[in-house]
Amino acid sequence: MTRSLRRYLSLHAQSFASAAASLARQPIATLMTALVIAIALALPAGLRVLVGNASSIVGSWDTAVDFSAYLAAAVAPERAREIAEDIRRRADVEAVRLVTPDEALADFRARSGFGEALDALGENPLPYTLVVRPASGAAGDVEGIAAALREIDEVELVQLDTEWVERLRALLGLAARVLDVITALLAVGVALVVGNTIRLEILNRAAEIEVIKLVGGTDAFIRRPFLYLGLFYGFAGAVGAAVLIAVVLELLAEPTAAVAALYGSDFRLAGLSAGDAAVLFAGGALLGLAGAALATARHLRAIEPR
Amino acid sequence: MIRFENVSKRYPGGREALRGVSFHLERGEMAFLTGPSGAGKSTLLKLVTLIEKPTRGTVIVNGQNTSRLSRRAIPRFRQRIGVVFQDHKLLYDRSVFDNVALPLVILGLGPREIERRVRAALDLVGLLGHERDAPITLSTGEQQRVGIARAVASRPDILVADEPTGNLDPELSLEIMRLFERFNEVGVTLLIATHDLDLIERFDKRRLRLVDGLIESDTAAPGRAA
Ligand SMILES: Nc1ncnc2c1ncn2[C@@H]1O[C@H](COP(=O)(O)OP(=O)(O)O)[C@@H](O)[C@H]1O
Ligand SMILES: [Mg+2]
């Protein structure tokens, strides 16, 4: 190692030790500050995880453009099969599945959990249903098939499930934008919290800073432990945020699985991906550093030996 | 080594603490700065350590005109000057070792070199073995000696001390002054402010007497006087 590099490393080691010592001196205060930062970071990061989960659900519906056409209750089985056959012959239709009232009832019973209520009804209230799979997912094609179905007298209702999927997708897009704003605001908040903590630390150590300046400490030397302190607070806050998110997801895991089961899905909440975690840790550390840089730039200069 | 040329210092809103002071302290010289309280002794030393800058005149320390030094250049300038304060100005949340090591850490010395020099400095002031102590557990005299060890650990060219024996009994005061004399013997330039005339009577050194911001007398070491 060259002399200057050794000198550089030794100075950093000393600054780091000094920062660590000042944290250890007031463990409770340190913990509280880290916790505040953790919560501020966990909020946007956690919401991002939730929106990510919701998007992945909606995204999995991309291919599921099947839609349903309900026939009138009185339609005879032969007529129902005829209509299904007519539609199936269209070039823009890939497949049609005819669901009998009995099948529909059995399915509903199994999925909804309202079995006993249905038993009380006595008679099956459900009509024949055509589940149509268009050849393409293009909106125009789907509308064309739907229009043709509506022309048929016995078709009572055409339900285009895709509409609400589109709406939900738009809402999720909006939520993502709102999240960006929240993230930006809370990022500024984290930098300010760290900055304020560092400012107090600087004021607490004014006498020490004076002495260091008197014996020839450079601005960089004096600044360094405070920058390490900011870096630590940011990073510790990010680790705390990751833990908070993991705990909340763990608490939500069982209820989510129960709801998913009702919809016949084996959907599981996804946690922070490795990439997300890396962004969170790096982001937290950088925000802490930025806050400390801000505080030192503003307050160190004012402390001069008298 | 330290040259004042017609130096005046007026504090903002205050009266003139120094009024046209001139003197020259040669390399390797040792001098006492005396005078009544309020005469301007501390102000003069602050001009040497660049805590203050002169309002008029020139202060040249170690060949550098202090008025021309930029803010960024001040730390390096101070690294070559050792300072001892009446109130020690120790860091009370750090050990004796860390206090003495501070200027060496600032110089960026390696841990082994720091250890060696800290022990040498503590040995000089008779505090070897107290490295791990907290300064608060030491007596005032011992604390002052820690301050002196810190000032000399980096082997500065110049050492200035403002009332270094102000809080000490005569015996300890004498001991501390003897210590300064020994630094002088190895070539350090010293300027020591004190109002303890009885004490400096016992040393054969130059005396600058300040009164009301003016140098009233500048007497060479009595023993060397013609
Ligand atoms: N920071 C200051 N602001 C204003 N006046 C000051 C300041 N420091 C010292 N003085 C004034 O300058 C004069 C000289 O003070 P000082 O240099 O401390 O004298 P000494 O050390 O000889 O007692 C005194 O009148 C004192 O009140
Ligand atoms: Mg004074």
Side-chain angles (χ1 to χ4, degrees):
Chain A
M1 262 197 303
T2 67
R3 201 186 131 82
S4 66
L5 179 62
R6 209 169 37 222
R7 179 190 138 101
Y8 181 82
L9 289 179
S10 131
L11 277 177
H12 272 268
Q14 180 77 25
S15 303
F16 194 78
S18 156
S22 82
L23 287 172
R25 238 174 279 137
Q26 28 189 336
I28 302 292
T30 299
L31 210 65
M32 296 298 274
T33 306
L35 197 59
V36 168
I37 296 163
I39 291 168
L41 288 174
L43 209 60
L47 286 175
R48 241 160 230 286
V49 167
L50 289 184
V51 170
N53 274 302
S55 297
S56 84
I57 298 172
V58 175
S60 72
W61 293 332
D62 259 351
T63 51
V65 289
D66 290 12
F67 66 93
S68 309
Y70 300 97
L71 303 188
V75 174
E78 301 78 42
R79 176 63 187 139
R81 273 191 287 278
E82 218 175 277
I83 295 170
E85 205 47 49
D86 284 350
I87 297 300
R88 190 174 291 130
R89 251 184 253 121
R90 287 177 62 102
D92 53 5
V93 169
E94 190 184 302
V96 174
R97 189 161 62 87
L98 185 65
V99 182
T100 66
D102 289 346
E103 285 167 353
L105 186 66
D107 190 42
F108 188 66
R109 195 189 293 277
R111 288 187 180 218
S112 69
F114 291 125
E116 281 155 29
L118 287 171
D119 289 341
L121 275 172
E123 194 177 321
N124 182 357
L126 299 174
Y128 273 96
T129 310
L130 300 181
V131 179
V132 182
R133 170 162 300 169
S136 84
D141 287 0
V142 178
E143 274 306 322
I145 306 167
L149 278 164
R150 284 192 196 100
E151 293 280 291
I152 302 167
D153 285 343
E154 290 88 345
V155 172
E156 195 139 282
L157 178 68
V158 178
Q159 194 169 52
L160 286 178
D161 299 348
T162 49
E163 272 174 28
W164 72 268
V165 172
E166 284 312 316
R167 274 187 212 135
L168 190 59
R169 203 165 277 152
L171 275 175
L172 280 173
L174 177 65
R177 287 292 85 72
V178 171
L179 248 179
D180 285 343
V181 174
I182 293 179
T183 305
L185 286 177
L186 284 169
V188 172
V190 167
L192 291 180
V193 166
V194 174
N196 196 47
T197 306
I198 301 293
R199 180 183 69 87
L200 291 176
E201 183 71 15
I202 288 172
L203 295 181
N204 270 338
R205 290 163 67 179
E208 174 179 350
I209 292 166
E210 248 183 65
V211 170
I212 295 174
K213 284 193 177 185
L214 271 174
V215 299
T218 59
D219 287 354
F221 178 83
I222 296 168
R223 194 183 306 125
R224 214 172 288 128
F226 294 106
L227 294 183
Y228 274 123
L229 212 55
L231 198 69
F232 169 85
Y233 274 124
F235 187 75
V239 171
V243 171
L244 278 177
I245 290 169
V247 168
V248 170
L249 285 180
E250 189 55 41
L251 291 175
L252 290 179
E254 216 169 299
T256 311
V259 171
L262 284 179
Y263 287 86
S265 155
D266 58 358
F267 173 77
R268 291 288 175 274
L269 277 177
L272 278 176
S273 69
D276 291 345
V279 169
L280 176 62
F281 294 155
L286 281 179
L287 285 172
L289 193 61
L294 210 72
T296 52
R298 284 186 45 131
H299 302 288
L300 277 185
R301 218 164 230 256
I303 300 171
E304 282 294 336
R306 270 164 288 112
Chain B
M1 202 64 175
I2 300 176
R3 184 188 290 277
F4 274 54
E5 288 168 6
N6 206 16
V7 172
S8 297
K9 173 67 188 177
R10 180 193 292 278
Y11 287 106
R15 55 188 196 89
E16 283 204 301
L18 293 178
R19 303 185 288 159
V21 169
S22 298
F23 71 93
H24 180 212
L25 199 64
E26 307 240 14
R27 178 177 293 273
E29 206 177 346
M30 172 168 171
F32 292 113
L33 186 61
T34 68
S37 175
K41 305 182 293 295
S42 296
T43 301
L44 192 152
L45 295 186
K46 283 176 186 171
L47 291 173
V48 174
T49 53
L50 252 173
I51 294 171
E52 298 287 351
K53 285 189 177 182
T55 324
R56 267 185 294 120
T58 337
V59 174
I60 295 170
V61 179
N62 239 337
Q64 286 181 297
N65 182 336
T66 62
S67 297
R68 298 224 184 98
L69 277 181
S70 70
R71 212 192 104 84
R72 286 174 55 84
I74 292 177
R76 175 155 287 223
F77 170 87
R78 288 197 183 128
Q79 285 166 14
R80 302 179 62 186
I81 303 176
V83 196
V84 176
F85 307 89
Q86 179 174 357
D87 60 354
H88 330 314
K89 288 207 196 293
L90 300 180
L91 303 180
Y92 287 95
D93 56 357
R94 302 197 194 178
S95 67
V96 166
F97 182 96
D98 287 347
N99 268 278
V100 178
L102 182 61
L104 306 175
V105 171
I106 286 167
L107 287 176
L109 301 181
R112 282 226 215 111
E113 178 70 6
I114 290 178
E115 167 105 27
R116 205 174 62 73
R117 289 217 205 171
V118 169
R119 289 174 62 86
L122 285 176
D123 192 20
L124 261 177
V125 300
L127 284 177
L128 204 55
H130 289 273
E131 288 95 323
R132 300 282 144 235
D133 290 358
I136 207 76
T137 64
L138 302 178
S139 72
T140 318
E142 287 170 330
Q143 288 185 32
Q144 187 58 289
R145 285 186 284 160
V146 173
I148 293 169
R150 179 181 67 191
V152 300
S154 58
R155 301 182 190 145
D157 309 313
I158 300 172
L159 196 131
V160 300
D162 194 357
E163 313 269 5
T165 61
N167 296 328
L168 306 180
D169 60 48
E171 210 169 308
L172 274 174
S173 299
L174 184 63
E175 201 180 302
I176 299 256
M177 283 301 178
R178 289 250 154 85
L179 202 51
F180 285 136
E181 199 177 27
R182 278 170 60 199
F183 296 141
N184 182 236
E185 279 160 13
V186 297
V188 181
T189 308
L190 284 103
L191 184 56
I192 302 162
T194 177
H195 54 244
D196 190 344
L197 293 175
D198 292 341
L199 178 63
I200 63 175
E201 271 306 310
R202 313 170 77 141
F203 293 88
D204 187 22
K205 299 292 176 193
R206 180 175 169 187
R207 283 166 216 175
L208 287 161
R209 182 171 159 80
L210 264 184
V211 176
D212 211 8
L214 289 168
I215 294 206
E216 191 205 60
S217 63
D218 181 353
T219 48
R224 272 186 244 153

